[in-house]
Short mmCIF file of all heavy atoms in Angstrom, two decimals:
data_model
loop_
_atom_site.label_atom_id
_atom_site.label_comp_id
_atom_site.label_asym_id
_atom_site.label_seq_id
_atom_site.Cartn_x
_atom_site.Cartn_y
_atom_site.Cartn_z
N TRP A 525 -27.26 10.96 12.50
CA TRP A 525 -27.05 9.89 11.52
C TRP A 525 -25.85 10.21 10.62
O TRP A 525 -25.06 9.32 10.32
CB TRP A 525 -28.30 9.72 10.65
CG TRP A 525 -28.13 8.69 9.57
CD1 TRP A 525 -28.29 7.35 9.67
CD2 TRP A 525 -27.71 8.95 8.22
NE1 TRP A 525 -28.00 6.74 8.48
CE2 TRP A 525 -27.64 7.68 7.57
CE3 TRP A 525 -27.39 10.10 7.51
CZ2 TRP A 525 -27.28 7.56 6.23
CZ3 TRP A 525 -27.02 9.98 6.18
CH2 TRP A 525 -26.97 8.73 5.55
N LYS A 526 -25.72 11.47 10.22
CA LYS A 526 -24.60 11.85 9.36
C LYS A 526 -23.26 11.61 10.05
O LYS A 526 -22.32 11.07 9.44
CB LYS A 526 -24.71 13.32 8.95
CG LYS A 526 -25.76 13.61 7.89
CD LYS A 526 -25.57 14.99 7.27
CE LYS A 526 -25.68 16.10 8.30
NZ LYS A 526 -25.54 17.44 7.66
N ARG A 527 -23.17 12.00 11.32
CA ARG A 527 -21.93 11.77 12.07
C ARG A 527 -21.65 10.29 12.23
O ARG A 527 -20.52 9.83 12.06
CB ARG A 527 -22.01 12.45 13.44
CG ARG A 527 -21.90 13.97 13.39
CD ARG A 527 -21.65 14.54 14.77
NE ARG A 527 -22.75 14.25 15.68
CZ ARG A 527 -23.80 15.04 15.85
NH1 ARG A 527 -23.92 16.16 15.14
NH2 ARG A 527 -24.74 14.73 16.71
N SER A 528 -22.70 9.54 12.57
CA SER A 528 -22.54 8.09 12.76
C SER A 528 -22.16 7.41 11.44
O SER A 528 -21.26 6.55 11.42
CB SER A 528 -23.83 7.48 13.30
OG SER A 528 -23.74 6.07 13.40
N ALA A 529 -22.82 7.80 10.36
CA ALA A 529 -22.55 7.19 9.05
C ALA A 529 -21.11 7.45 8.62
O ALA A 529 -20.42 6.54 8.13
CB ALA A 529 -23.52 7.72 8.01
N ALA A 530 -20.65 8.70 8.80
CA ALA A 530 -19.28 9.04 8.43
C ALA A 530 -18.28 8.21 9.24
O ALA A 530 -17.28 7.72 8.71
CB ALA A 530 -19.03 10.53 8.65
N LYS A 531 -18.55 8.06 10.53
CA LYS A 531 -17.66 7.30 11.41
C LYS A 531 -17.62 5.83 11.01
O LYS A 531 -16.54 5.22 10.93
CB LYS A 531 -18.13 7.45 12.85
CG LYS A 531 -17.26 6.74 13.86
CD LYS A 531 -17.79 6.96 15.28
CE LYS A 531 -16.95 6.20 16.30
NZ LYS A 531 -17.46 6.41 17.69
N LYS A 532 -18.79 5.24 10.76
CA LYS A 532 -18.84 3.82 10.41
C LYS A 532 -18.22 3.56 9.03
O LYS A 532 -17.52 2.55 8.83
CB LYS A 532 -20.29 3.32 10.43
CG LYS A 532 -21.00 3.48 11.76
CD LYS A 532 -20.26 2.80 12.89
CE LYS A 532 -21.04 2.95 14.20
NZ LYS A 532 -20.29 2.40 15.36
N LEU A 533 -18.47 4.47 8.08
CA LEU A 533 -17.89 4.29 6.75
C LEU A 533 -16.37 4.37 6.80
O LEU A 533 -15.68 3.66 6.07
CB LEU A 533 -18.44 5.35 5.79
CG LEU A 533 -19.89 5.15 5.33
CD1 LEU A 533 -20.39 6.38 4.60
CD2 LEU A 533 -20.01 3.91 4.45
N LEU A 534 -15.86 5.22 7.67
CA LEU A 534 -14.41 5.33 7.83
C LEU A 534 -13.84 4.10 8.52
O LEU A 534 -12.92 3.44 7.99
CB LEU A 534 -14.06 6.59 8.62
CG LEU A 534 -12.57 6.79 8.98
CD1 LEU A 534 -11.76 7.05 7.71
CD2 LEU A 534 -12.41 7.93 9.98
N ASN A 535 -14.38 3.78 9.70
CA ASN A 535 -13.80 2.71 10.53
C ASN A 535 -14.00 1.31 9.96
O ASN A 535 -13.18 0.42 10.22
CB ASN A 535 -14.39 2.77 11.94
CG ASN A 535 -13.86 3.95 12.73
OD1 ASN A 535 -12.78 4.45 12.46
ND2 ASN A 535 -14.63 4.40 13.69
N LEU A 536 -15.07 1.11 9.21
CA LEU A 536 -15.34 -0.21 8.64
C LEU A 536 -15.03 -0.26 7.13
O LEU A 536 -14.57 -1.28 6.62
CB LEU A 536 -16.80 -0.61 8.87
CG LEU A 536 -17.24 -0.73 10.33
CD1 LEU A 536 -18.73 -1.03 10.41
CD2 LEU A 536 -16.46 -1.82 11.06
N GLY A 537 -15.26 0.86 6.46
CA GLY A 537 -15.07 0.88 5.01
C GLY A 537 -13.63 0.78 4.58
O GLY A 537 -13.30 0.06 3.63
N ILE A 538 -12.73 1.48 5.29
CA ILE A 538 -11.30 1.43 4.93
C ILE A 538 -10.73 0.03 5.09
O ILE A 538 -10.11 -0.50 4.16
CB ILE A 538 -10.50 2.46 5.76
CG1 ILE A 538 -10.94 3.89 5.43
CG2 ILE A 538 -9.00 2.28 5.53
CD1 ILE A 538 -10.74 4.29 3.99
N PRO A 539 -10.89 -0.63 6.26
CA PRO A 539 -10.39 -2.02 6.37
C PRO A 539 -11.05 -2.95 5.36
O PRO A 539 -10.38 -3.83 4.79
CB PRO A 539 -10.75 -2.42 7.80
CG PRO A 539 -10.90 -1.13 8.53
CD PRO A 539 -11.45 -0.16 7.53
N TYR A 540 -12.35 -2.75 5.12
CA TYR A 540 -13.06 -3.61 4.17
C TYR A 540 -12.44 -3.53 2.78
O TYR A 540 -12.07 -4.54 2.18
CB TYR A 540 -14.54 -3.22 4.12
CG TYR A 540 -15.30 -3.94 3.04
CD1 TYR A 540 -15.66 -5.27 3.21
CD2 TYR A 540 -15.65 -3.30 1.85
CE1 TYR A 540 -16.36 -5.95 2.21
CE2 TYR A 540 -16.34 -3.97 0.86
CZ TYR A 540 -16.69 -5.29 1.04
OH TYR A 540 -17.36 -5.97 0.04
N ILE A 541 -12.31 -2.32 2.27
CA ILE A 541 -11.76 -2.13 0.91
C ILE A 541 -10.31 -2.61 0.84
O ILE A 541 -9.91 -3.31 -0.10
CB ILE A 541 -11.87 -0.66 0.48
CG1 ILE A 541 -13.34 -0.27 0.33
CG2 ILE A 541 -11.13 -0.42 -0.83
CD1 ILE A 541 -13.57 1.21 0.09
N PHE A 542 -9.51 -2.23 1.84
CA PHE A 542 -8.09 -2.56 1.81
C PHE A 542 -7.86 -4.07 1.83
O PHE A 542 -7.10 -4.61 1.00
CB PHE A 542 -7.38 -1.92 3.00
CG PHE A 542 -5.92 -2.27 3.08
CD1 PHE A 542 -5.01 -1.70 2.21
CD2 PHE A 542 -5.45 -3.18 4.03
CE1 PHE A 542 -3.65 -2.03 2.28
CE2 PHE A 542 -4.11 -3.51 4.11
CZ PHE A 542 -3.21 -2.94 3.22
N PHE A 543 -8.52 -4.77 2.75
CA PHE A 543 -8.25 -6.21 2.87
C PHE A 543 -8.92 -7.03 1.76
O PHE A 543 -8.42 -8.10 1.40
CB PHE A 543 -8.66 -6.70 4.26
CG PHE A 543 -7.67 -6.33 5.32
CD1 PHE A 543 -7.87 -5.22 6.13
CD2 PHE A 543 -6.51 -7.06 5.48
CE1 PHE A 543 -6.93 -4.86 7.09
CE2 PHE A 543 -5.56 -6.71 6.43
CZ PHE A 543 -5.78 -5.60 7.24
N ILE A 544 -10.01 -6.52 1.21
CA ILE A 544 -10.57 -7.16 0.01
C ILE A 544 -9.56 -7.04 -1.14
O ILE A 544 -9.30 -8.02 -1.86
CB ILE A 544 -11.90 -6.51 -0.39
CG1 ILE A 544 -13.03 -6.96 0.52
CG2 ILE A 544 -12.24 -6.85 -1.84
CD1 ILE A 544 -13.57 -8.34 0.26
N LEU A 545 -8.98 -5.86 -1.31
CA LEU A 545 -8.00 -5.65 -2.37
C LEU A 545 -6.78 -6.55 -2.19
O LEU A 545 -6.30 -7.17 -3.15
CB LEU A 545 -7.57 -4.18 -2.41
CG LEU A 545 -8.58 -3.18 -2.98
CD1 LEU A 545 -8.08 -1.76 -2.78
CD2 LEU A 545 -8.84 -3.45 -4.45
N VAL A 546 -6.26 -6.60 -0.96
CA VAL A 546 -5.10 -7.44 -0.68
C VAL A 546 -5.41 -8.90 -0.98
O VAL A 546 -4.62 -9.60 -1.65
CB VAL A 546 -4.65 -7.28 0.79
CG1 VAL A 546 -3.60 -8.33 1.15
CG2 VAL A 546 -4.09 -5.88 1.04
N SER A 547 -6.55 -9.38 -0.49
CA SER A 547 -6.93 -10.78 -0.71
C SER A 547 -7.14 -11.07 -2.19
O SER A 547 -6.73 -12.13 -2.69
CB SER A 547 -8.21 -11.11 0.07
OG SER A 547 -8.00 -10.97 1.45
N TRP A 548 -7.78 -10.13 -2.89
CA TRP A 548 -8.05 -10.33 -4.32
C TRP A 548 -6.75 -10.40 -5.12
O TRP A 548 -6.59 -11.26 -5.99
CB TRP A 548 -8.93 -9.19 -4.83
CG TRP A 548 -9.33 -9.35 -6.27
CD1 TRP A 548 -10.35 -10.10 -6.77
CD2 TRP A 548 -8.70 -8.72 -7.39
NE1 TRP A 548 -10.40 -9.99 -8.13
CE2 TRP A 548 -9.39 -9.15 -8.55
CE3 TRP A 548 -7.63 -7.84 -7.53
CZ2 TRP A 548 -9.03 -8.72 -9.82
CZ3 TRP A 548 -7.27 -7.41 -8.80
CH2 TRP A 548 -7.98 -7.85 -9.94
N VAL A 549 -5.81 -9.51 -4.78
CA VAL A 549 -4.51 -9.51 -5.47
C VAL A 549 -3.76 -10.81 -5.22
O VAL A 549 -3.21 -11.44 -6.14
CB VAL A 549 -3.65 -8.30 -5.03
CG1 VAL A 549 -2.22 -8.46 -5.52
CG2 VAL A 549 -4.25 -7.01 -5.56
N LEU A 550 -3.74 -11.25 -3.95
CA LEU A 550 -3.04 -12.49 -3.61
C LEU A 550 -3.67 -13.69 -4.28
O LEU A 550 -2.97 -14.58 -4.78
CB LEU A 550 -3.03 -12.67 -2.09
CG LEU A 550 -2.15 -11.69 -1.30
CD1 LEU A 550 -2.31 -11.91 0.20
CD2 LEU A 550 -0.69 -11.82 -1.71
N LYS A 551 -5.00 -13.74 -4.29
CA LYS A 551 -5.69 -14.86 -4.95
C LYS A 551 -5.41 -14.86 -6.45
O LYS A 551 -5.29 -15.93 -7.07
CB LYS A 551 -7.20 -14.78 -4.69
CG LYS A 551 -7.64 -15.29 -3.33
CD LYS A 551 -9.14 -15.15 -3.16
CE LYS A 551 -9.62 -15.76 -1.87
NZ LYS A 551 -9.62 -17.22 -1.87
N SER A 552 -5.31 -13.68 -7.03
CA SER A 552 -5.03 -13.58 -8.47
C SER A 552 -3.60 -13.99 -8.80
O SER A 552 -3.35 -14.68 -9.79
CB SER A 552 -5.29 -12.14 -8.96
OG SER A 552 -6.63 -11.77 -8.74
N LEU A 553 -2.66 -13.58 -7.95
CA LEU A 553 -1.25 -13.89 -8.20
C LEU A 553 -0.92 -15.35 -7.93
O LEU A 553 -0.09 -15.95 -8.61
CB LEU A 553 -0.36 -12.99 -7.33
CG LEU A 553 -0.33 -11.50 -7.69
CD1 LEU A 553 0.51 -10.73 -6.68
CD2 LEU A 553 0.23 -11.31 -9.10
N PHE A 554 -1.57 -15.92 -6.92
CA PHE A 554 -1.25 -17.29 -6.53
C PHE A 554 -2.47 -18.18 -6.68
O PHE A 554 -2.83 -18.95 -5.79
CB PHE A 554 -0.75 -17.31 -5.07
CG PHE A 554 0.44 -16.43 -4.84
CD1 PHE A 554 0.30 -15.19 -4.23
CD2 PHE A 554 1.71 -16.81 -5.25
CE1 PHE A 554 1.39 -14.36 -4.01
CE2 PHE A 554 2.80 -16.00 -5.05
CZ PHE A 554 2.65 -14.77 -4.42
N SER A 555 -3.12 -18.07 -7.82
CA SER A 555 -4.36 -18.81 -8.07
C SER A 555 -4.19 -20.32 -7.99
O SER A 555 -5.12 -21.05 -7.63
CB SER A 555 -4.93 -18.43 -9.44
OG SER A 555 -3.98 -18.70 -10.47
N SER A 556 -2.99 -20.79 -8.28
CA SER A 556 -2.77 -22.24 -8.26
C SER A 556 -2.61 -22.79 -6.86
O SER A 556 -2.67 -24.00 -6.65
CB SER A 556 -1.51 -22.59 -9.07
OG SER A 556 -0.37 -21.97 -8.50
N SER A 557 -2.46 -21.90 -5.87
CA SER A 557 -2.21 -22.35 -4.50
C SER A 557 -3.37 -22.11 -3.56
O SER A 557 -3.27 -22.39 -2.37
CB SER A 557 -0.97 -21.64 -3.94
OG SER A 557 0.17 -21.89 -4.75
N VAL A 558 -4.48 -21.56 -4.07
CA VAL A 558 -5.62 -21.25 -3.20
C VAL A 558 -6.79 -22.16 -3.53
O VAL A 558 -6.92 -22.67 -4.64
CB VAL A 558 -6.04 -19.77 -3.34
CG1 VAL A 558 -4.92 -18.86 -2.90
CG2 VAL A 558 -6.45 -19.44 -4.77
N ASN A 559 -7.67 -22.34 -2.51
CA ASN A 559 -8.81 -23.23 -2.70
C ASN A 559 -9.92 -22.60 -3.53
O ASN A 559 -10.60 -23.27 -4.30
CB ASN A 559 -9.38 -23.63 -1.33
CG ASN A 559 -8.42 -24.49 -0.54
OD1 ASN A 559 -7.65 -25.25 -1.12
ND2 ASN A 559 -8.44 -24.38 0.78
N SER A 560 -10.14 -21.29 -3.35
CA SER A 560 -11.18 -20.59 -4.11
C SER A 560 -10.55 -19.51 -4.98
O SER A 560 -9.72 -18.75 -4.51
CB SER A 560 -12.21 -19.96 -3.16
OG SER A 560 -11.58 -19.05 -2.28
N GLN A 561 -10.94 -19.47 -6.23
CA GLN A 561 -10.34 -18.54 -7.18
C GLN A 561 -10.97 -17.14 -7.06
O GLN A 561 -12.12 -17.00 -6.66
CB GLN A 561 -10.51 -19.06 -8.61
CG GLN A 561 -9.86 -20.41 -8.82
CD GLN A 561 -8.36 -20.39 -8.55
OE1 GLN A 561 -7.64 -19.59 -9.09
NE2 GLN A 561 -7.90 -21.30 -7.70
N ALA A 562 -10.19 -16.13 -7.42
CA ALA A 562 -10.68 -14.76 -7.38
C ALA A 562 -11.51 -14.48 -8.62
O ALA A 562 -11.09 -14.79 -9.74
CB ALA A 562 -9.50 -13.79 -7.30
N GLY A 563 -12.69 -13.88 -8.41
CA GLY A 563 -13.49 -13.43 -9.54
C GLY A 563 -13.08 -12.02 -9.91
O GLY A 563 -11.94 -11.62 -9.71
N SER A 564 -14.01 -11.24 -10.42
CA SER A 564 -13.72 -9.85 -10.73
C SER A 564 -13.63 -9.04 -9.43
O SER A 564 -14.20 -9.42 -8.41
CB SER A 564 -14.80 -9.26 -11.62
OG SER A 564 -16.02 -9.13 -10.90
N LEU A 565 -12.93 -7.92 -9.49
CA LEU A 565 -12.79 -7.08 -8.31
C LEU A 565 -14.14 -6.49 -7.90
O LEU A 565 -14.43 -6.37 -6.70
CB LEU A 565 -11.79 -5.96 -8.58
CG LEU A 565 -11.47 -5.03 -7.40
CD1 LEU A 565 -10.97 -5.82 -6.21
CD2 LEU A 565 -10.44 -3.97 -7.83
N THR A 566 -14.95 -6.13 -8.87
CA THR A 566 -16.29 -5.60 -8.57
C THR A 566 -17.12 -6.62 -7.83
O THR A 566 -17.81 -6.30 -6.85
CB THR A 566 -17.01 -5.20 -9.87
OG1 THR A 566 -16.25 -4.21 -10.55
CG2 THR A 566 -18.40 -4.65 -9.57
N GLU A 567 -17.04 -7.87 -8.26
CA GLU A 567 -17.76 -8.95 -7.60
C GLU A 567 -17.25 -9.14 -6.18
O GLU A 567 -18.03 -9.30 -5.24
CB GLU A 567 -17.61 -10.25 -8.38
CG GLU A 567 -18.39 -11.42 -7.79
CD GLU A 567 -18.18 -12.70 -8.58
OE1 GLU A 567 -17.01 -13.12 -8.71
OE2 GLU A 567 -19.17 -13.26 -9.06
N ALA A 568 -15.93 -9.07 -6.01
CA ALA A 568 -15.33 -9.27 -4.69
C ALA A 568 -15.71 -8.15 -3.73
O ALA A 568 -15.84 -8.38 -2.52
CB ALA A 568 -13.81 -9.35 -4.81
N LEU A 569 -15.88 -6.94 -4.24
CA LEU A 569 -16.20 -5.79 -3.38
C LEU A 569 -17.69 -5.66 -3.09
O LEU A 569 -18.07 -5.31 -1.97
CB LEU A 569 -15.70 -4.50 -4.03
CG LEU A 569 -14.21 -4.20 -3.93
CD1 LEU A 569 -13.83 -3.05 -4.85
CD2 LEU A 569 -13.81 -3.88 -2.49
#
């Protein structure tokens, strides 16, 4: 389980955090051009 958990957290967690951050930043910067507004980063994550 430890090996599997480490692998899944790496392979899924890194893309998850990175693309959430990218999307959140873009939604915050271009809020007038998106359909749904960005909430807090904690909420988004």
Side-chain angles (χ1 to χ4, degrees):
W525 177 84
K526 285 195 299 182
R527 287 194 297 270
S528 176
K531 182 179 178 180
K532 301 304 182 185
L533 286 170
L534 175 68
N535 287 335
L536 299 176
I538 296 299
Y540 173 76
I541 293 172
F542 177 74
F543 283 98
I544 284 283
L545 286 173
V546 170
S547 297
W548 183 82
V549 169
L550 290 176
K551 281 179 175 286
S552 300
L553 290 176
F554 303 102
S555 58
S556 61
S557 302
V558 297
N559 293 329
S560 59
Q561 300 301 307
S564 69
L565 183 56
T566 301
E567 183 181 57
L569 282 169

